[in-house]
Amino acid sequence: MTLQPSHNLMNVENHILEMQNLHPGASGDLTSLLGDISFAAKIIAREVSHAGLVDILGATGDENVQGEQVQKLDEYANATMLRCLGRKGQVCLLGSEELEDVLEVDFGSGSGKYLVVFDPLDGSSNIDANVSIGTIFAIYARVSPHGPGQLRDVLQSGSKIVAAGYVVYGSSTMFVYTAGHGVHGFTLDPGIGEFLLSHQNIKIPFEAGIYSVNEGNEPRWTQQMKEIVRKLKYGCDGTAGKGCTARYIGSLVSDFHRNLLYGGVFLYPATEDVPNGKLRLVYEAAPLAMIAEHAGGYASDGNGPILDRIPDSIHERVPLFIGSRGTVLWIEKKMADPEFGAGL
Ligand code: AHG
Ligand code: MN
Ligand code: MN
């Protein structure tokens, strides 16, 4: 009798190690870094799971660089990521939605060859209502030669991302990542404190059956965007009932995760009053674009690939259309057509 390997006993640390073995000569720093992130995720998941019982709900009373009210869980998640990531010398720089400037990390040896950018707690407006939220991250290799990291290390296009992923704190807690060899999902077993492989090699359906957009912004969309969303509802041939169904959670990670598994498109277009859209390129759009593309999907800013955008600043905002490749490409094509939606 031969012992068959049991995938669901594969935890995320061993999976990352297997990915490392695909790169002979790898130092193990990236493996260690991804392990640190999954460790931070477990600590954050523990606080999220009983947030209502401890004094961790609600706002801190502070305002962040985005001009948004900082929630206690934003602060806790940010502090946890900083504590777990900045301690072993693999990183030269950390960038967070909750930090105005990048945090240069130097252990004297200045040898940290990676940098991590992250949104420590995505979907903050949903925290107090117990609606699922998440954490988003991306890891880059430094471009500056040595010493503490520099701003130019973080202003790289998403196409340079070495590994990216997210955690969704929902009915279960999941860790989803790619290091360039497929997109893989792990579900936290709180009883043993392990993320166990549950979704191997995720692929997103080519066409969307779901569209996710905040329709409350519709009065401020362009005519063209209004027609695009109308077509998504009615089907591209305009037949009522043949289009997408609507789902909008208001946490990017949760909307993205559902669309990744079921097939769907998430839209956060520019509007007259928010000309660059609401979402941030460096630690929201680009990491999820890396995941989308490695799962067979696509992410666009309306003109072209999110992964081609080189950020001018760490908190730069960008319009975002992400999910099923066929549907996002269709949106991009319609946005390039000046006649589409004209005269409606
Ligand atoms: P964050 O909580 O990190 O600021 O992100 C919130 C984002 C994103 O999660 C979500 O898709 C979007 O804000 C929702 O915006 P609206 O409430 O304007 O729809
Ligand atoms: Mn966010
Ligand atoms: Mn956030």
Side-chain angles (χ1 to χ4, degrees):
M1 181 180 99
T2 54
L3 181 64
Q4 297 301 323
S6 164
H7 284 303
N8 63 13
L9 284 181
M10 167 70 76
N11 66 9
V12 69
E13 290 82 0
N14 284 320
H15 191 274
I16 295 166
L17 209 49
E18 280 196 1
M19 293 294 120
Q20 173 190 308
N21 294 339
L22 299 175
H23 298 274
S27 65
D29 282 1
L30 180 63
T31 297
S32 175
L33 203 40
L34 279 164
D36 289 344
I37 295 172
S38 70
F39 181 59
K42 293 177 194 173
I43 296 171
I44 297 166
R46 181 193 58 192
E47 288 308 297
V48 169
S49 68
H50 58 241
L53 301 175
V54 295
D55 181 23
I56 201 154
L57 292 181
T60 61
D62 300 328
E63 196 176 84
N64 66 11
V65 63
Q66 326 283 335
E68 296 161 344
Q69 282 302 308
V70 177
Q71 300 300 309
K72 289 176 186 169
L73 212 44
D74 280 323
E75 200 162 68
Y76 180 86
N78 189 53
T80 301
M81 289 288 279
L82 294 177
R83 270 186 15 238
C84 293
L85 289 176
R87 57 193 175 133
K88 290 191 300 192
Q90 303 101 327
V91 298
C92 63
L93 181 143
L94 295 171
S96 166
E97 177 197 2
E98 301 304 329
L99 296 177
E100 184 157 3
D101 299 312
V102 294
L103 192 63
E104 295 166 6
V105 181
D106 184 2
F107 282 79
S109 60
S111 61
K113 63 184 180 189
Y114 293 109
L115 51 134
V116 187
V117 290
F118 54 90
D119 176 358
L121 211 293
D122 175 68
S124 307
S125 62
N126 283 323
I127 293 172
D128 290 357
N130 198 28
V131 173
S132 63
I133 49 184
T135 298
I136 309 170
F137 67 89
I139 301 172
Y140 290 85
R142 71 182 303 166
V143 291
S144 59
H146 50 75
Q150 299 169 23
L151 189 58
R152 65 189 175 113
D153 289 312
V154 85
L155 301 183
Q156 299 182 60
S157 70
S159 58
K160 304 285 191 218
I161 291 174
V162 171
Y166 61 85
V167 186
V168 55
Y169 311 101
S171 46
S172 65
T173 295
M174 275 196 70
F175 182 94
V176 178
Y177 89 104
T178 184
H181 302 284
V183 175
H184 309 284
F186 301 78
T187 301
L188 182 63
D189 179 336
I192 57 173
E194 293 281 7
F195 279 111
L196 299 180
L197 183 61
S198 54
H199 297 68
Q200 189 164 17
N201 211 16
I202 299 172
K203 292 294 178 195
I204 184 170
F206 185 74
E207 296 294 348
I210 294 168
Y211 78 100
S212 309
V213 71
N214 183 343
E215 305 250 13
N217 295 329
E218 197 260 3
R220 292 183 298 281
W221 294 342
T222 62
Q223 278 306 114
Q224 190 184 56
M225 189 48 61
K226 290 177 184 175
E227 182 60 7
I228 284 172
V229 174
R230 197 186 73 81
K231 283 278 192 206
L232 288 172
K233 292 178 187 174
Y234 282 83
C236 295
D237 61 2
T239 309
K242 284 188 67 179
C244 296
T245 191
R247 291 286 184 276
Y248 193 72
I249 299 170
S251 292
L252 171 61
V253 176
S254 309
D255 281 313
F256 175 79
H257 180 67
R258 182 211 46 246
N259 290 350
L260 183 71
L261 297 183
Y262 297 173
V265 61
F266 174 94
L267 307 86
Y268 211 106
T271 53
E272 293 144 16
D273 53 332
V274 192
N276 295 318
K278 172 181 183 179
L279 299 173
R280 281 55 59 112
L281 172 60
V282 171
Y283 42 77
E284 289 177 315
L288 296 184
M290 167 93 167
I291 294 272
E293 298 236 357
H294 282 271
Y298 177 51
S300 171
D301 62 3
N303 296 310
I306 285 283
L307 290 181
D308 289 353
R309 290 273 300 238
I310 298 176
D312 293 322
S313 68
I314 184 168
H315 299 299
E316 178 176 325
R317 295 177 191 266
V318 67
L320 180 61
F321 307 90
I322 187 169
S324 294
R325 172 170 286 273
T327 310
V328 178
L329 286 172
W330 175 83
I331 290 172
E332 201 176 71
K333 185 172 163 216
K334 293 307 167 194
M335 290 182 75
D337 175 357
E339 298 306 311
F340 187 76
L344 287 178

